[in-house]
């Protein structure tokens, strides 16, 4: 089995994913923001600490020997945004940070890059039928616009470099100990 780098490893989806793929025999390297967060990961997950994600983040050590990246980390769930320019703040992490990680991953020989986007890229509401991959994107918040822009960057990188990109436009995720918007 190969090695998978999971960003956002201590988030709701990240913790469950790290546990699952490690139980399937993969070597998991989880990216966390702090040493305190590392305690929340399953046994056997190799921890890499990265304090921030942006256009200048050096992913070299985290990507060494990695076969695939699952990029879950993002600026998200900002309920009371104090940023002077929220769109710029979302773009710094979700677009520029994602681009930096993907380009460095491709150069490091990573074969597959999985990106967790958002169903919100498709819009805020559907009428009479669910969203599909054929729908025209209609991002409606700074967050969903930044996720759509990151998708576009990743598609460009996939066409330029030898790396498969998988984009998942996930709906709100529900499960045990669910945080975030669903409880509202």
């Amino acid at each position: 089995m190969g090695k998978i780098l999971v960003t956002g490893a201590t988030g709701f989806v990240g913790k469950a994913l790290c546990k699952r793929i490690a139980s399937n025999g993969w070597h998991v390297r989880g990216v966390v923001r702090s040493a305190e967060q590392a305690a929340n990961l399953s046994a056997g997950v190799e921890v890499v600490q990265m304090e921030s994600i942006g256009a200048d983040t050096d992913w070299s050590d985290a990507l060494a020997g990695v076969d695939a990246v699952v990029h879950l980390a993002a600026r998200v769930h900002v309920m009371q945004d104090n940023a002077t320019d929220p769109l710029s703040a979302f773009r710094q992490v979700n677009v520029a940070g994602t681009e930096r990680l993907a380009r460095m991953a491709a150069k490091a020989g990573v074969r597959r890059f999985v990106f967790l986007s958002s169903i919100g890229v498709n819009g805020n509401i559907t009428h009479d039928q669910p969203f599909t991959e054929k729908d025209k994107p209609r991002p409606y918040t700074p967050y969903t616009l930044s996720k759509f822009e990151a998708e576009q960057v990743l598609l460009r990188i996939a066409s330029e470099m030898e790396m498969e990109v998988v984009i998942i436009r996930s709906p709100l995720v529900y499960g045990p100990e669910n945080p975030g918007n669903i409880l509202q």
Side-chain angles (χ1 to χ4, degrees), residues 7-183:
T7 69
T10 57
F12 178 63
V13 173
K15 281 191 291 189
L17 181 65
C18 287
K19 182 177 181 180
R20 178 61 182 243
I21 58 181
S23 73
N24 287 343
W26 290 84
H27 178 91
V28 181
R29 184 177 289 160
V31 178
V32 301
R33 277 187 262 167
S34 67
E36 295 82 34
Q37 288 182 321
N40 295 324
L41 290 175
S42 298
V45 175
E46 178 187 349
V47 175
V48 175
Q49 188 173 334
M50 307 286 285
E51 292 180 16
S52 64
I53 297 174
D56 299 324
T57 303
D58 183 1
W59 293 94
S60 302
D61 291 339
L63 290 166
V66 167
D67 300 295
V69 171
V70 179
H71 185 39
L72 306 174
R75 183 175 196 266
V76 63
H77 296 304
V78 182
M79 301 301 186
Q80 294 180 348
D81 202 339
N82 296 326
T84 308
D85 182 356
L87 180 56
S88 179
F90 278 108
R91 283 177 168 154
Q92 179 180 350
V93 175
N94 299 349
V95 182
T98 298
E99 179 174 13
R100 173 73 171 188
L101 173 58
R103 289 195 182 281
M104 289 190 75
K107 288 179 184 171
V110 170
R111 296 186 313 252
R112 178 175 287 167
F113 190 100
V114 179
F115 177 65
L116 186 63
S117 187
S118 169
I119 194 67
V121 167
N122 285 37
N124 189 30
I125 192 167
T126 62
H127 300 283
D128 302 324
Q129 61 186 19
F131 289 127
T132 73
E133 71 278 1
K134 296 177 184 176
D135 291 337
K136 179 181 177 190
R138 298 183 195 289
Y140 62 99
T141 64
Y143 167 71
T144 58
L145 179 59
S146 71
K147 290 300 239 180
F148 176 65
E149 291 171 349
E151 290 179 10
Q152 301 311 298
V153 165
L154 290 171
L155 293 173
R156 250 190 336 272
I157 291 170
S159 71
E160 297 168 2
M161 304 175 118
E162 302 261 339
M163 184 173 65
E164 177 188 13
V165 169
V166 177
I167 297 169
I168 300 170
R169 287 188 184 163
S170 173
L172 197 58
V173 179
Y174 177 77
E177 300 178 32
N178 199 99
N181 296 343
I182 203 152
L183 299 177

